[in-house]
Amino acid sequence: MNNKIGILLLLSVLGCNNDPYPSYQEGEVLVRLSSEINYSSGIEMEPLITPDGQELVYTDAYAEYPNRYRLMRLNLFTNKESIIHPYGHHIDISSDGQWLAFVSNSEISKIKLTGDSLKALTRGCSPTWHPNNQTIAFALSCTGAGQTSGIYTLDSHGSSKFVTSNGWNPDFFPDEKKMVFVTRSAGIKFSIFDIATSTEVTQLEATPNQDIKNPKISPDGKQIVYWNYDGIYITKVDGTGVRKLLPHQHFYEGKEGNYIGFKASSPSWHPDGKHIIYQHFAITERFICPSDYCATVKTFSGILNIRKLKVRD
């Protein structure tokens, strides 16, 4: 018997109350990035749109070796594609659209989107650009001589400054006065932090008892998009108006064309502030190991693409 048996999973929620089967707006395809491939949980392409809305920058996390994790740049209008750097992840684009910060082998570097002027900066993770295009905030997860785990900033002269010991995945507000990050102690709450006074303004638990990944502040500073293994969410910065945009994994009630469902992850804001872009994996087939020994082993085949979804008027 073949070790992989394709099974279409239909999750019926009709029940006795006759509620309709859930359906979701998945948005428009910006770019299709693959022929049919196997999905790998936890591997994210981290798609970002340049501030002028012209180009897509992403980590080529599903490419064949030795090209896996190349940093790529794709013009959305000409479809011209180029390599920014051979290897990297945890990427962020400066607000002037000139620089990309990224992590490679636990070291943060910056490089121009043209692929020029590579410069190693510091040890750390999760870099994010300050709106001034000069400063980078980052997380440090292990201690060294005279260092503490937490959030730091690094200025254009190479001087680092400790911000707080309780944070991960920082992002600046556009007013330059505050930042948001995931509280490191719990991993399920946001902290909104006043930079000038080095004090926590508020702490939010937008989706109780759920992990939080990569909070991103909207261009107007009023909303946060984030995701976890339950779905992609949006919330106001005061913690109200929490809305689930998409589930992390969804199967259609019936087959739709070649697809039986999708997986959604890794959202970021489009510069227009009205849309998000996200990693969308259109599932064509689901495989479950048939034996009792490996009953929990599951994988998916499908098409990887980046989509644009309207979330605000």
Side-chain angles (χ1 to χ4, degrees):
M1 179 181 291
N2 194 315
N3 286 334
K4 293 185 176 180
I5 299 177
I7 298 177
L8 172 57
L9 181 64
L10 300 178
L11 301 176
S12 175
V13 296
L14 295 174
C16 298
N17 57 9
N18 293 320
D19 288 339
Y21 194 90
S23 62
Y24 300 91
Q25 293 295 322
E26 299 171 50
E28 64 175 292
V29 176
L30 285 181
V31 58
R32 174 172 160 164
L33 293 172
S34 72
S35 301
E36 190 165 300
I37 59 173
N38 290 329
Y39 177 83
S40 296
S41 178
I43 296 180
E44 299 300 322
M45 303 190 75
E46 308 171 291
L48 301 171
I49 299 290
T50 54
D52 61 8
Q54 300 288 306
E55 296 184 303
L56 172 71
V57 176
Y58 64 94
T59 300
D60 200 1
Y62 284 84
E64 295 292 333
Y65 289 109
N67 296 326
R68 186 164 291 185
Y69 285 100
R70 295 179 303 178
L71 300 180
M72 303 299 295
R73 175 186 185 187
L74 174 68
N75 188 293
L76 296 172
F77 296 91
T78 66
N79 289 321
K80 181 181 178 180
E81 190 175 47
S82 58
I83 300 171
I84 301 172
H85 190 264
Y87 182 82
H89 51 90
H90 288 131
I91 60 176
D92 193 47
I93 302 172
S94 61
S95 59
D96 62 5
Q98 297 297 308
W99 292 90
L100 186 72
F102 67 96
V103 176
S104 179
N105 298 319
S106 300
E107 184 174 71
I108 297 171
S109 298
K110 70 175 184 178
I111 191 170
K112 287 189 176 180
L113 265 64
T114 57
D116 301 324
S117 305
L118 174 67
K119 183 178 181 180
L121 298 175
T122 187
R123 185 167 56 94
C125 195
S126 303
T128 185
W129 285 97
H130 190 282
N132 66 12
N133 302 308
Q134 301 295 315
T135 303
I136 290 175
F138 65 97
L140 188 64
S141 61
C142 54
T143 59
Q147 289 185 312
T148 302
S149 294
I151 303 291
Y152 289 76
T153 57
L154 182 75
D155 65 23
S156 59
H157 301 293
S159 298
S160 62
K161 180 181 178 181
F162 177 72
V163 177
T164 179
S165 61
N166 187 29
W168 192 255
N169 293 134
D171 193 35
F172 286 101
F173 278 71
D175 66 5
E176 307 182 11
K177 298 177 181 178
K178 300 185 296 295
M179 69 168 62
V180 64
F181 49 78
V182 177
T183 54
R184 189 173 178 84
S185 58
I188 59 174
K189 295 181 180 181
F190 297 125
S191 179
I192 295 179
F193 192 83
D194 186 287
I195 300 170
T197 63
S198 297
T199 57
E200 185 177 72
V201 177
T202 187
Q203 194 172 99
L204 310 175
E205 188 175 8
T207 47
N209 301 315
Q210 291 284 347
D211 257 352
I212 293 170
K213 297 179 183 292
N214 297 323
K216 299 289 186 183
I217 300 292
S218 60
D220 63 3
K222 294 181 178 180
Q223 293 192 300
I224 305 170
V225 68
Y226 64 97
W227 75 282
N228 54 37
Y229 289 118
D230 184 61
I232 294 176
Y233 287 86
I234 192 171
T235 179
K236 294 179 181 179
V237 295
D238 63 1
T240 64
V242 178
R243 181 160 54 104
K244 186 176 183 177
L245 301 173
L246 292 162
H248 176 57
Q249 178 175 295
H250 177 69
F251 290 94
Y252 304 133
E253 186 175 15
K255 193 171 184 180
E256 298 186 9
N258 295 322
Y259 306 121
I260 63 174
F262 66 86
K263 295 179 77 70
S265 60
S266 203
S268 64
W269 286 97
H270 190 279
D272 67 10
K274 298 179 181 180
H275 298 81
I276 63 165
I277 62 167
Y278 71 98
Q279 176 177 310
H280 180 283
F281 187 84
I283 302 171
T284 55
E285 197 167 11
R286 185 189 190 199
F287 302 99
I288 302 177
C289 181
S291 71
D292 292 338
Y293 176 75
C294 56
T296 60
V297 176
K298 305 172 186 177
T299 189
F300 303 92
S301 291
I303 303 297
L304 189 67
N305 54 77
I306 302 301
R307 292 200 176 214
K308 176 183 175 182
L309 176 66
K310 187 174 183 179
V311 297
R312 305 166 69 185
D313 293 325

